[in-house]
Amino acid sequence: MISLRDLQLGFSQDVFSGGGTGFDARIKANGLSGERRLQIYRNNTFASLTDALQKTYPVIYQLVGDGFFRYAAARYLGQYPSTSGDLHDFGGTFPAFLRTFEPAAELVYLADLADLEYACEQVFYAADHAPLDPLAMSEVPAARYGDLTFTLHPASRLLASAYPILHIWQVNQENYNGDPGVDLREGGVKLLVLRPHLEVEIQPLSAGEFALLHALADSRDFTTACEQALDAQPDFDVAAGFRRHVLQGTLISFAF
Amino acid sequence: MLSKPTRSGLGPGPIPACAGIGLRAVHFQDVLATRPMLGWLEVHPENYFGAGGKPLHYLEQIRALYPLSLHGVGLSMGSTDPLNSAHLDKLKELIRRFEPALISEHVSWGSVGGRYHNDLLPLPYTEEALDHMVQRVSQVQDYLGRQILIENVSSYLQYTVSAIPEWEFVAELAKRAGCGLLLDVNNIYVNACNHGFEAEIFLAAVPRDLVQEIHLAGFTVNNLGDGEILIDTHSRPVCTAVWALYRQAVQRFGATPTLIEWDADLPPLETLLDEARRADAILEERHDLVA
């Protein structure tokens, strides 16, 4: 008699390979054939995982359409199976998959847009945190400011793209009523995805702001971060940019 | 003697013997704003495995108002892979934080070789699978430090190796593992139609004292040309035949906490409340009978 282990391996193999493994011989026909019955489980598995992927990547879905999305999802599942019963762990490799997915090669911005959607998903579920206490900052002697390092909010992500992905994202939102056209020559964007409390915000950043936060996220000290910000954007108002990210909670704590 | 179900509806505590609904994110704000008269609420713990944000924020508020049950769908109880300890840890943390009155999972498996189907797959009903499930349920109960309920699932196939009727498998599992049963009356009906048995036989085979919760849901009928099959989609109202079977279940098992489950094509909250009221009316018939 087949062991429980071998039965599960055989079932799973049949479902993910699309059938033809001979596993249907282990199913009672009883009206419908074993093959027809297994097909129901193939449909359920692919439909539920595709649905999970669609919930994380609604703009990608909107852009490529139902048929193409299902095709891409099926290919994705073959390469990157779900490895957890917690769907928060599923779909993070979809942007990387899209980067090498030949049928989507003409949509050059697609993988970057997927990065943005995944950042929003991660930020939505990330840990809560209170903003930095400005009073605590005021107790630091001015001479030591340069040595400070900062921690970014757990519900924050920085990303940069050579394409206008925020504009593409915006025109594909359900409640968007404006001109749906986007000219790729608008060029790239630098973005901060942040959830200060409950709502996820996507904020375009100047080159200086982005360099400042990026350096701080990399554990550079404040002096180095300011230098990198000014290298990226010579006219950047460091004091104003820094203040904004303390007040809105992008930066949550500091250390010497 | 059974007591009347508590109909106050508001306030956390044990799950009363009346109707509740499966709460999904789209109804968070409606429930909090209107605070409907409902015995209790049930959620999938996996939806709250994130570290923060809206899901946990709303669940905190919901928990202050209603008794709560956690109904797991992703533990892959019957898999021959080792139990997923990260999943169990997240579940345990959620239990610590929200102190649910009931915790349940399924008589099924959903992964093997580390690959997950995101589905509730049927086990073969064999002595080996029974021993395995008894051991797994015991392991989970030991780890969580409390009893869980396990639910019978819908299925669309039977394995040639299955030698034990599903109802015997489920009842024996509960007896041997010391867990409770979450009887899904819709799943019994779906399986009775799909596999050709009398649903009443299932009810009669389940010992009265094991059932601590009942689920009700709607299915869809798939016509496959050479035959039709009922799919447990949780996307429709409870059908007439399932209401009738539910009435029989209540006669047999007494007034039992009963959940309306709806997971796809979600209707307005009011539709779920109507279904819950219908279940409450059947539970009250039973109370009147006893009184």
Side-chain angles (χ1 to χ4, degrees):
Chain A
M1 193 167 84
I2 187 172
S3 69
L4 178 58
R5 179 76 181 166
D6 286 342
L7 181 136
Q8 291 180 341
L9 288 169
F11 183 109
S12 187
Q13 174 65 21
D14 188 274
V15 164
F16 281 107
S17 67
T21 66
F23 189 80
D24 58 321
R26 303 217 169 263
I27 312 292
K28 288 181 190 165
N30 190 16
L32 289 171
S33 69
E35 170 55 26
R36 295 301 287 272
R37 293 175 180 280
L38 280 167
Q39 186 58 40
I40 294 168
Y41 285 95
R42 279 181 216 126
N43 289 347
N44 283 357
T45 291
F46 280 91
S48 73
L49 288 168
T50 300
D51 186 50
L53 209 55
Q54 185 189 334
K55 286 196 172 104
T56 304
Y57 299 99
V59 175
I60 301 291
Y61 176 84
Q62 167 93 4
L63 268 170
V64 302
D66 187 71
F68 192 90
F69 192 86
R70 281 178 191 289
Y71 172 64
R75 291 275 301 274
Y76 173 67
L77 285 170
Q79 283 182 42
Y80 300 90
S82 174
T83 57
S84 169
D86 173 4
L87 284 174
H88 299 113
D89 297 335
F90 174 66
T93 46
F94 194 52
F97 164 82
L98 287 176
R99 271 194 181 92
T100 60
F101 185 50
E102 199 59 37
E106 275 183 27
L107 301 173
V108 287
Y109 51 83
L110 206 63
D112 285 5
L113 191 60
D115 279 332
L116 174 58
E117 294 207 274
Y118 189 60
C120 291
E121 166 87 359
Q122 286 186 298
V123 162
F124 182 83
Y125 290 106
D128 307 320
H129 205 289
L132 197 155
D133 179 5
L135 280 179
M137 276 291 292
S138 68
E139 288 165 15
V140 177
R144 304 222 36 201
Y145 281 178
D147 301 331
L148 294 179
T149 56
F150 290 85
T151 306
L152 270 67
H153 198 298
S156 72
R157 296 289 181 280
L158 292 165
L159 65 163
S161 171
Y163 307 102
I165 53 169
L166 178 57
H167 193 183
I168 299 172
W169 186 90
Q170 284 164 339
V171 303
N172 282 287
Q173 295 305 300
E174 240 172 61
N175 50 3
Y176 181 80
N177 292 318
D179 178 359
V182 178
D183 186 344
L184 286 187
R185 288 170 300 184
E186 286 172 27
V189 278
K190 293 178 166 55
L191 302 172
L192 169 67
V193 181
L194 177 70
R195 203 198 75 230
H197 182 44
L198 290 177
E199 302 300 332
V200 177
E201 299 170 10
I202 307 176
Q203 302 174 0
L205 299 180
S206 68
E209 256 180 318
F210 182 83
L212 180 76
L213 292 177
H214 206 275
L216 293 176
D218 270 352
S219 308
R220 306 283 173 219
D221 62 45
F222 190 58
T223 301
T224 311
C226 291
E227 285 167 5
Q228 291 185 3
L230 289 167
D231 282 349
Q233 184 185 340
D235 67 346
F236 177 54
D237 183 343
V238 176
F242 175 71
R243 196 179 312 115
R244 179 166 104 83
H245 290 288
V246 168
L247 291 177
Q248 74 166 11
T250 316
L251 302 169
I252 54 161
S253 65
F254 61 88
F256 292 104
Chain B
M1 179 64 85
L2 292 160
S3 58
K4 280 270 183 193
T6 48
R7 298 300 308 278
S8 65
L10 298 182
I15 305 289
C18 59
I21 62 169
L23 181 65
R24 304 296 170 254
V26 289
H27 292 140
F28 278 150
Q29 276 152 334
D30 270 1
V31 167
L32 288 170
T34 61
R35 300 189 179 190
M37 287 297 249
L38 264 174
W40 54 291
L41 294 167
E42 185 168 275
V43 299
H44 295 319
E46 291 82 359
N47 292 340
Y48 304 88
F49 277 2
K54 274 187 189 174
L56 290 165
H57 172 84
Y58 286 123
L59 193 60
E60 287 278 5
Q61 296 181 33
I62 296 278
R63 181 68 190 92
L65 296 173
Y66 295 93
L68 183 70
S69 163
L70 295 183
H71 180 54
V73 292
L75 191 53
S76 194
M77 288 286 295
S79 172
T80 49
D81 281 358
L83 269 171
N84 186 325
S85 57
H87 195 104
L88 271 177
D89 284 343
K90 285 185 256 189
L91 180 59
K92 193 170 185 171
E93 169 55 21
L94 215 57
I95 291 167
R96 186 198 63 73
R97 181 165 171 188
F98 290 96
E99 301 179 338
L102 292 173
I103 301 159
S104 50
E105 252 287 350
H106 296 86
V107 186
S108 67
W109 62 287
S111 64
V112 71
R115 185 161 61 177
Y116 281 72
H117 288 241
N118 199 35
D119 197 0
L120 302 168
L121 305 172
L123 285 163
Y125 300 125
T126 62
E127 290 295 339
E128 185 202 1
L130 181 56
D131 288 344
H132 180 65
M133 272 301 286
V134 168
Q135 186 262 324
R136 296 275 280 204
V137 171
S138 305
Q139 208 182 332
V140 169
Q141 292 187 139
D142 287 348
Y143 186 80
L144 298 179
R146 57 185 285 180
Q147 192 193 41
I148 64 168
L149 312 184
I150 51 161
E151 179 188 346
N152 57 299
V153 294
S154 286
S155 65
Y156 316 116
L157 59 75
Q158 292 173 299
Y159 303 101
T160 54
V161 289
S162 284
I164 307 170
E166 185 194 358
W167 45 91
E168 277 182 37
F169 187 95
V170 170
E172 193 61 21
L173 168 57
K175 279 187 241 171
R176 282 173 52 186
C179 61
L181 284 183
L182 193 184
L183 206 61
D184 189 313
V185 172
N186 183 61
N187 290 350
I188 294 175
Y189 180 78
V190 163
N191 287 0
C193 295
N194 286 347
H195 307 312
F197 64 82
E198 296 292 325
E200 291 76 12
I201 293 177
F202 199 125
L203 293 185
V206 174
R208 285 189 166 83
D209 56 345
L210 292 180
V211 179
Q212 297 184 34
E213 182 182 340
I214 291 176
H215 271 185
L216 293 172
F219 56 81
T220 54
V221 179
N222 269 24
N223 198 317
L224 299 174
D226 50 343
E228 66 175 31
I229 194 154
L230 273 47
I231 308 286
D232 179 35
T233 47
H234 294 184
S235 63
R236 316 253 316 130
V238 177
C239 83
T240 308
V242 171
W243 282 121
L245 191 60
Y246 173 60
R247 189 173 267 111
Q248 290 182 46
V250 172
Q251 290 302 323
R252 176 168 173 76
F253 302 109
T256 306
T258 300
L259 188 89
I260 303 297
E261 270 189 311
W262 204 313
D263 290 300
D265 301 331
L266 278 158
L269 179 62
E270 193 51 42
T271 306
L272 298 182
L273 298 178
D274 283 343
E275 295 275 277
R277 279 190 279 268
R278 215 170 149 182
D280 269 332
I282 291 171
L283 287 166
E284 283 181 16
E285 285 171 21
R286 162 74 192 188
H287 280 292
D288 294 342
L289 203 72
V290 173

